[in-house]
Amino acid sequence: MDRIVVVGASAAGLTAAETLRRQGFTGTLTMVGEELRPPYDRPPLSKQILAGDWEPHKATLRPEEALQPLGLHLKLGRRATGVDPVARTVTLDDGDTADYDGLIISTGLRPRRLPFGHDLAGVHVLRTLDDTLTLRAQLLAGPRVVVIGAGFLGSEIAATARGLDLDVTLVDIEPTPLFRQVGSEVGELVAQLHRDHGVSMRLRRQVAGMSSRNGRVTAVDLDDGTRIPADVVVVAIGSVPATDWLSDSGIPLGDGVLCDPTCHVVSGVYAAGDVANWPHPTAGGRIRLEQRTNATQQAITAATNLLAGPNRALPYAPVPFGWTDHYDTKIQIHGWCPPGAHIEVVDGDLRSRRFVALYHADGRVVGALGWNSPRALLRYRARLPEPTAA
């Protein structure tokens, strides 16, 4: 194998490149990235960088001097527009091509958008560092902020904006923030945490439209007739895998790039990170994991298996791990914490807001959540079943 192309200058893409070199690949290694920036970390975008606590360069994953030994052919500011898995060629938006013997797809996500409002000034999504810097500049003017979507990203943005002493309203169709991630019982604690810090909540409400004046948003209109004045609106209603460039390629697609248990897609092609969809033995079906830790772990597996070849490839079956920070609260999750699961508090208590809870579903422990309890959570991590290959 002489030529490997990594599409996606992301945390997963960079980890894949580093793994390939560490494991002895000495051939041509090309990385294609849609942004002009070298690979950077995304979790700080909605927190430290948006708050102004970090300068943008602090999110960069590796300094330039650390990238040089990798011998990367970096094609930044270039978008992959197609791949021919038979000819083993990636096509770029300027018409150039990159030939490969091995390909790793790590293109991540694109923000989901509402069917209205995104042509208005003051309406934002947050996915890239440039998105964050643009939003940060507008927050400095002291606007009234409405965040649509109370998942991890939207909830973090609301907390950050409130930390800047802004008027913040958080809107979601679910009964609590983080409902799909942690269920209603812990989700209600998150709601109360926001209320304690002065965030207005509009839950079980759907956004029906946006009002504007002279091309700029002035309000968010809800399905019950409520109109929330707004100078800045952030739409954080989830993301979709960035697979549009693969639509005519013959690469199997579903909710992401469809892989086998070893992250293998088709001959010579592997996928890693937010875009990868693979069968997980514990989850009971196919999953995608939009988690920072998964980006690194799966990229190591994908790169290792690409070099090893299909006959020696090992399955990827992690226990998921993710976290979110709100104000002075850190919530960490091992496994899955689905709505409807039975919650057992095994350390601390909910009222003290320092606890560990186990999530039970189908007669077994499927997840462990720690609220400001990182050390205690580690003790209960062992209660989760270790996946075995299918």
Side-chain angles (χ1 to χ4, degrees), residues 5 21 76 87 136 152-153 231 245 252 266 276 294 321-322 337 342 359 361:
V5 174
R21 291 303 195 204
L76 298 178
R136 163 77 182 166
F152 284 138
L153 180 62
D231 307 301
W245 65 286
V266 295
N294 177 69
F321 173 70
C337 299
H342 168 67
Y359 283 65

Side-chain angles (χ1 to χ4, degrees), residues 260-264 278-279 281 301-302 305 310 312-318 387-390:
D260 74 7
T262 69
C263 307
H264 181 249
W278 83 103
T301 297
N305 286 343
R312 293 187 295 152
L314 298 176
Y316 179 63
T388 56

